Amino acid sequence: MKMRHSKIKGKICMITAALVLGLTGCGENQIPDLTNAEIQAIGEYIAITMMKYDLNNKSRLMELSVLDIEESVLEENGETEDSAGMGPVDDTPVVNAPGVEAETENPVRQEEYSMEEVMGLPEGMTVAFQGQEVYDSYPEEGDFFSMSASEGKKLLVLRFSVSNGTAQDQEMDMLASDAAFHVTVNGEYTRRALTTMLLDDMTTFVGTIPAQGSVEAVLVVEMDQETASHISSLSLTVKNESKTYAMELLP
């Protein structure tokens, strides 16, 4: 602490000397005569100014005027006397912290949704995974529209059955749904299902499913040929603006 005070005093002396020299007149090179009272006043002004920017100075012998300056600087920096004090200790136990026990005993459970809810299907309709196949082009024949994989790629086609378990016909309109389908292969390769012109594309399917009937729908993903030849696991995530559903297709 003494060393710190000696450094401050040294700075004060240097600034005082510079200020005195700065008071030299424009046409003269003589240092003007100053009384002891004037020199003391200059020194006190410099001391208060330096204390203003030396917020770490905690001297209890500081004059009240200097304390006022330090407090105003803390307020300008958005700090308060409490925030400048001792912070919380990490290893200090907190007793009866409000809400801690309640969160431990009654954790908030994330609401779970079904695939049909996320897709926005009418009540009574269900979707079931039927299997997957890999193609160079799909469908291979017998359809007015087909798509081919890019060079070095394969088409992974996931097949689903959409059933209507009610006693009346149900409309399925995926164009009006904001659901998005993401397929993950081998736990790390994730792609969004393509939007195609296939009549049975589940992302764009629009049609009527008869009472107690079902239709087949597919999801198509383009992927690297090497990955497509070594599929060990498959999972599907369906999302809309507020809901998410995830399922394992191949564990």
Side-chain angles (χ1 to χ4, degrees), residues 87-102:
V89 180
D90 293 338
D91 58 356
T92 302
V94 179
V95 181
N96 295 330
V100 173
E101 294 183 0

Side-chain angles (χ1 to χ4, degrees), residues 113 117-120 177-180 238-245:
Y113 300 97
E117 287 177 312
V118 180
M119 292 174 61
S177 171
D178 60 352
V238 187
K239 296 182 179 181
N240 62 21
E241 291 183 355
S242 59
K243 303 174 183 178
T244 301
Y245 171 80

Side-chain angles (χ1 to χ4, degrees), residues 171-219:
E171 296 294 328
M172 179 177 173
D173 185 0
M174 294 305 299
L175 288 179
S177 171
D178 60 352
F181 301 83
H182 293 82
V183 179
T184 300
V185 181
N186 299 339
E188 57 184 16
Y189 189 97
T190 301
R191 291 294 183 271
R192 181 168 178 169
L194 300 174
T195 300
T196 73
M197 295 179 62
L198 296 171
L199 296 179
D200 56 352
D201 187 344
M202 189 155 65
T203 67
T204 58
F205 186 93
V206 176
T208 301
I209 302 178
Q212 301 299 319
S214 64
V215 297
E216 186 178 88
V218 299
L219 293 175

Side-chain angles (χ1 to χ4, degrees), residues 2-58:
K2 292 182 178 180
M3 182 178 295
R4 179 180 178 82
H5 286 170
S6 63
K7 289 183 179 180
I8 293 176
K9 290 180 179 179
K11 292 181 180 179
I12 292 174
C13 293
M14 292 176 63
I15 296 175
T16 303
L19 181 58
V20 171
L21 292 175
L23 294 175
T24 304
C26 296
E28 300 180 2
N29 293 323
Q30 299 295 326
I31 298 177
D33 294 331
L34 297 175
T35 64
N36 290 334
E38 291 173 336
I39 294 176
Q40 183 177 358
I42 293 173
E44 290 177 353
Y45 173 79
I46 295 174
I48 292 174
T49 302
M50 293 192 65
M51 288 296 184
K52 178 179 179 181
Y53 296 101
D54 187 18
L55 300 183
N56 293 323
N57 192 319
K58 303 298 181 181

Side-chain angles (χ1 to χ4, degrees), residues 37-241:
E38 291 173 336
I39 294 176
Q40 183 177 358
I42 293 173
E44 290 177 353
Y45 173 79
I46 295 174
I48 292 174
T49 302
M50 293 192 65
M51 288 296 184
K52 178 179 179 181
Y53 296 101
D54 187 18
L55 300 183
N56 293 323
N57 192 319
K58 303 298 181 181
S59 175
R60 295 181 179 272
L61 301 179
M62 195 181 304
E63 294 182 0
L64 180 60
S65 60
V66 178
L67 287 173
D68 293 339
I69 292 174
E70 182 173 344
E71 184 178 355
S72 64
V73 174
L74 285 173
E75 292 177 353
E76 292 176 1
N77 292 336
E79 300 176 5
T80 62
E81 184 177 354
D82 294 336
S83 65
M86 184 181 69
V89 180
D90 293 338
D91 58 356
T92 302
V94 179
V95 181
N96 295 330
V100 173
E101 294 183 0
E103 290 182 4
T104 303
E105 296 177 358
N106 301 302
V108 178
R109 297 181 60 185
Q110 184 177 1
E111 187 172 358
E112 296 181 356
Y113 300 97
S114 67
M115 183 173 180
E116 293 78 12
E117 287 177 312
V118 180
M119 292 174 61
L121 297 181
E123 187 175 355
M125 294 182 59
T126 58
V127 181
F129 177 62
Q130 300 296 316
Q132 80 283 345
E133 297 178 75
V134 176
Y135 297 91
D136 291 319
S137 61
Y138 180 83
E140 294 179 319
E141 58 182 20
D143 201 331
F144 79 98
F145 173 81
S146 64
M147 56 186 303
S148 300
S150 305
E151 184 176 356
K153 304 283 187 178
K154 292 285 187 179
L155 296 178
L156 173 65
V157 178
L158 307 180
R159 299 186 181 275
F160 296 85
S161 175
V162 183
S163 301
N164 176 13
T166 69
Q168 59 184 3
D169 296 348
Q170 296 278 19
E171 296 294 328
M172 179 177 173
D173 185 0
M174 294 305 299
L175 288 179
S177 171
D178 60 352
F181 301 83
H182 293 82
V183 179
T184 300
V185 181
N186 299 339
E188 57 184 16
Y189 189 97
T190 301
R191 291 294 183 271
R192 181 168 178 169
L194 300 174
T195 300
T196 73
M197 295 179 62
L198 296 171
L199 296 179
D200 56 352
D201 187 344
M202 189 155 65
T203 67
T204 58
F205 186 93
V206 176
T208 301
I209 302 178
Q212 301 299 319
S214 64
V215 297
E216 186 178 88
V218 299
L219 293 175
V220 182
V221 178
E222 188 175 60
M223 59 195 318
D224 294 336
Q225 184 172 353
E226 182 177 354
T227 303
S229 61
H230 299 87
I231 298 177
S232 58
S233 66
L234 275 175
S235 61
L236 174 67
T237 301
V238 187
K239 296 182 179 181
N240 62 21
E241 291 183 355

